[in-house]
């Protein structure tokens, strides 16, 4: 039986998904033993059945991210935080740490949508439609929200790192990254 | 506004990021309007304030893992101005160009082969289980492998010029921090002839698709618009540097030969309450009529010619297919994208044979300035970075107009048009019809996380409203 893998990008830049595609021709080998369930790489929008492995890129910056992450935890035997954003928040987490600010989120919104002569915004409103999901007060890492089985560092982890990780898991071996693949940039 | 019926496509797939569409119906269940919402927000423009200017090129690329090189280079160009450098050394400029051609090559190929080809090969409403790259690998392994290897080549070019395939570090304010060794050069040259052949095949496939399906292509999200891009001063397509040119729907010049550092005099962004993505427009034409398109299709329309022979031939043919009038068909983006791939392979070949790349003058320094603007043609279109840096070397102002944002209005029109054609007056809505909406968005190869200056995703969520604003249906797409 082929193993099932699901992937998702939460508050990430898609670079970790690109790194997965950087396994290049090995994609063909992977498909010998693996089937993809929900993933932005196909059109399965929801889990079709339980998965062996869930790869999650990006941390949580809005309520929808939290919801999706919990769904991944419920549906995957092994949940992997892929990349710096998922593990430590990455670039988006910079909004948590705006110095001397009582309300960093509001400051970000005002800088982006108000306060500028470059912007045409006669109603002077920040986008607030109910179609837009609620932003969280700060950006959270995956492990702050659910139990995570593996955290793979790197921004992004290289294709080789991901290949190594998946090969080990699929073979039922422990994931022990060799020194040269264990990097944080 | 009570909600009774919504159809959700969540998340929008085979594009980068997350999207959401709401479709508003009139009394007769005809589609009145559709909106593409961007639902993520990160606040980059605020939290970059206070950072040291030389950090910016490596930070900002984390907006987007598909086109990081474009952000890396646009920011570096802006920071070149900050350190008072208007002209890089030949080695630095050519190394950056090489990196950029690698980037456009890999991104355009990724979009075509990995993300969009399933729609074109299998049909817009084909089986959802097969309609993806894995299905392509199974049904057309030879084609899939060519796509995978073409992208890999682009990524290798990036790795050897930027230091890493994704989020590299070699462009620095005033130049670069490495050159290309002869060993690296020879490694890339080995494959170049093969890549040229495959790029030509890719053009053939995309052209063949467009011409054979002309009826579909003409009727699918095709609408008049203005187009904008950088071009070289003599009108040649230039993906790395140039002057701004905009033309109207009939091909008349709106502006030309504009120094991109003046872009704020020509463009402005409108904020609308229902999307975090702003709506840029050409000031002179106002916020209603000033919208325009960017990206591969627009570049084919704005460029007078292409300065590499094979791509130029393909460009001539592309232009002839609409009698040398601007091409307004969203699905023609694919053909245009492949012509650029061919152009990039030709450019990479040219540069690899240029001894300047082994030069050792990498970095220049001039008189420090306060303001820097960097503009580049990213895979998805014109990308603007604008910064001010204070006397402590800290960023004090930042504004970005990313490529996808330029296409905001156009994508909304594309979605509306396709929704009208395929969802109006239907009793039930199938997965395939919803994919039609996605095909329209996908033609623009949107980079939706870039578009919010955000690293993330937006669900594509289709909601049907009736005339009273009652939500008719909300259905999860499965
Ligand atoms: S870890 Fe890096 S590459 Fe991965 S999503 Fe975050 S910013 Fe992008």
């Amino acid at each position: 039986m082929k193993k099932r893998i699901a992937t998702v990008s939460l508050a990430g830049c898609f670079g970790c998904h690109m790194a997965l595609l950087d396994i290049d021709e090995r994609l063909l080998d992977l498909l010998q033993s693996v089937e993809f369930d929900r993933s932005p790489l196909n059109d399965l929008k929801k889990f079709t059945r339980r998965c062996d492995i869930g790869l999650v890129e990006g941390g949580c910056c809005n309520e929808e991210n939290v919801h999706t992450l919990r769904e991944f935890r419920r549906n995957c035997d092994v949940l992997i935080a892929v990349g710096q954003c998922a593990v430590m928040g990455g670039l988006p987490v910079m909004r948590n740490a705006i110095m001397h600010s009582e309300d960093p989120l509001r400051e970000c919104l005002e800088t982006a949508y108000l306060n500028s002569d470059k912007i045409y915004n006669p109603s002077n409103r920040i986008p607030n439609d109910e179609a837009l999901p609620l932003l969280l007060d700060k950006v959270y890492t995956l492990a702050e929200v659910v139990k995570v089985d593996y955290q793979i560092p790197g921004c992004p982890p290289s294709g080789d790192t991901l290949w190594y990780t998946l090969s080990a898991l699929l073979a039922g071996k422990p994931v022990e990254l060799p020194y040269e693949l264990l990097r944080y940039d | 506004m009570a909600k009774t019926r919504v159809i959700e496509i969540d998340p929008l797939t085979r594009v980068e990021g997350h999207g959401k569409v709401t479709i508003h119906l009139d009394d007769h269940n005809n589609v009145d309007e559709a909106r593409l919402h961007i639902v993520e927000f990160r606040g980059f423009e605020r939290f970059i304030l206070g950072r040291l200017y030389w950090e910016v090129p490596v930070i900002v690329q984390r907006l987007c893992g598909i086109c990081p090189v474009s952000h890396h280079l646009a920011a570096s160009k802006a920071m070149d101005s900050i350190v008072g450098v208007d002209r890089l050394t030949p080695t630095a400029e050519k190394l950056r160009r090489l990196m950029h051609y690698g980037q456009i090559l890999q991104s355009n190929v990724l979009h075509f082969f990995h993300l969009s080809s399933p729609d074109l090969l299998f049909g817009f409403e084909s089986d959802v289980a097969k309609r993806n790259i894995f299905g392509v690998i199974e049904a057309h392994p030879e084609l899939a492998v060519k796509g995978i290897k073409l992208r890999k080549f682009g990524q290798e070019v990036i790795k050897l010029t930027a230091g890493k395939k994704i989020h590299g570090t070699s462009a620095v304010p005033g130049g670069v921090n490495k050159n290309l060794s002869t060993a690296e050069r020879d490694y890339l040259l080995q494959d170049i002839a093969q890549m040229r052949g495959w790029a030509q095949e890719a053009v053939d496939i995309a052209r063949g698709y467009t011409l054979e399906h002309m009826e579909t292509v003409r009727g699918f999200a095709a609408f008049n618009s203005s187009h904008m891009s950088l071009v070289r001063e003599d009108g040649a397509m230039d993906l790395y540097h140039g002057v701004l040119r905009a033309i109207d729907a009939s091909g008349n010049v709106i502006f030309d030969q504009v120094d991109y550092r003046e872009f704020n005099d020509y463009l402005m962004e409108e904020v609308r309450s229902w999307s975090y993505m702003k709506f840029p427009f050409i000031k002179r034409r106002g916020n209603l009529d000033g919208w325009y398109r960017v990206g591969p299709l627009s570049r084919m329309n704005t460029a007078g010619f292409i300065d590499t022979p094979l791509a130029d031939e393909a460009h001539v043919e592309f232009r002839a297919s609409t009698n040398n009038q601007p091409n307004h068909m969203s699905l023609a983006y694919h053909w245009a994208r492949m012509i650029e791939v061919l152009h990039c392979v030709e450019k990479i070949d040219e540069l690899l044979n240029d001894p300047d790349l082994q030069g050792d003058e990498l970095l220049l320094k001039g008189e420090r300035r306060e303001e820097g603007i960097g503009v580049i043609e990213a895979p998805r279109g014109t990308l603007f970075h604008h910064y001010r840096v204070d006397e402590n070397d800290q960023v004090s102002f930042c504004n970005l107009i990313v490529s996808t944002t330029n296409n905001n209005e156009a994508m909304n029109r594309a979605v509306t048009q396709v929704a009208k054609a395929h969802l109006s007056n239907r009793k039930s809505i199938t997965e395939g019809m919803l994919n039609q909406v996605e095909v329209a968005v996908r033609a623009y190869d949107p980079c939706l996380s870039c578009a919010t200056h955000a690293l993330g995703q937006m669900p594509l969520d289709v909601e049907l409203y009736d005339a009273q604003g009652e939500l008719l249906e909300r259905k999860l797409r499965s």
Side-chain angles (χ1 to χ4, degrees), chain B residues 11-215:
Chain B
L12 172 58
T13 43
R14 289 189 284 127
V15 299
E16 194 272 357
H18 255 197
K20 169 167 177 160
V21 169
T22 55
I23 296 173
H24 300 245
L25 296 188
D26 68 13
D27 277 339
H28 310 286
N29 274 359
N30 289 314
V31 172
D32 186 28
E33 190 198 358
R35 289 169 168 182
L36 168 69
H37 304 262
I38 302 286
V39 299
E40 285 263 343
F41 171 76
R42 292 291 187 285
F44 179 83
E45 287 149 326
R46 173 62 188 83
F47 65 61
I48 197 67
L49 302 184
R51 304 300 302 205
L52 299 166
Y53 71 82
W54 56 82
E55 297 180 319
V56 174
V58 284
I59 294 179
V60 69
Q61 61 188 337
R62 264 97 184 167
L63 291 173
C64 174
I66 299 191
C67 57
V69 169
S70 312
H71 287 289
H72 185 54
L73 292 181
S76 298
K77 285 173 93 171
M79 295 312 162
D80 294 341
S81 293
I82 296 289
V83 297
V85 174
D86 290 323
R87 209 189 171 90
L88 301 179
T89 67
T91 304
E93 157 142 358
K94 286 174 185 174
L95 190 92
R96 285 194 193 175
R97 273 186 181 271
L98 181 56
M99 190 194 314
H100 190 53
Y101 292 124
Q103 159 74 6
I104 297 209
L105 168 63
Q106 79 82 17
S107 176
N108 283 6
V109 165
L110 169 93
H111 178 263
F112 187 69
F113 286 91
H114 298 64
L115 303 179
S116 278
S117 73
D119 296 321
L120 310 183
L121 292 169
F122 303 139
F124 299 172
E125 303 204 16
S126 57
D127 177 11
V128 62
K130 294 273 170 292
R131 210 176 53 216
N132 54 56
I133 177 67
F134 315 118
V136 177
I137 288 176
E138 214 175 290
H140 306 278
E142 218 179 287
L143 182 72
V145 167
K146 285 177 191 168
I148 287 171
K149 289 193 172 165
L150 260 172
R151 171 172 181 272
K152 179 183 180 182
F153 181 73
Q155 290 289 77
E156 293 285 336
V157 171
I158 295 171
K159 184 175 171 190
L160 297 180
T161 50
K164 267 171 83 193
K165 287 186 173 179
I166 299 161
H167 302 329
T169 52
S170 75
V172 291
V176 293
N177 61 19
K178 82 181 283 286
N179 65 7
L180 193 76
S181 72
T182 47
E184 291 167 334
R185 175 197 67 193
D186 295 342
Y187 170 75
L188 293 173
L189 272 174
Q190 278 179 108
D191 291 326
I192 195 83
Q194 179 79 81
M195 295 306 147
R196 193 184 307 112
W198 288 348
Q200 283 177 291
E201 277 178 46
V203 173
D204 287 343
I205 296 170
R207 183 197 49 220
Y209 178 85
T210 316
L211 298 180
E212 278 157 34
H213 298 81
M214 212 19 142
E215 212 164 304

Side-chain angles (χ1 to χ4, degrees), chain A residues 9 11-13 22 40 42-43 45 61-62 64 92 98 107 112-113 118 120 127-128 130-131 133 155 185, chain B residues 10-11 13-14 16 20 39-40 42 46 62 65 131 151 155 164 264 269 271 273 276 278 438 455-457:
Chain A
S9 169
C13 77
D22 280 340
N42 60 32
D43 286 348
K45 317 276 180 183
C61 90
N62 67 30
E64 238 167 46
I98 293 176
E107 277 205 26
Y113 299 105
K118 317 261 180 300
Y120 177 76
N128 61 351
E130 54 181 18
C155 180
D185 74 327
Chain B
D10 178 13
T13 43
R14 289 189 284 127
E16 194 272 357
K20 169 167 177 160
V39 299
E40 285 263 343
R42 292 291 187 285
R46 173 62 188 83
R62 264 97 184 167
R131 210 176 53 216
R151 171 172 181 272
Q155 290 289 77
K164 267 171 83 193
N264 282 307
E269 290 181 280
V271 176
S273 65
Y276 285 125
K278 296 168 198 167
E438 290 195 78
L455 314 175
Q457 58 168 357

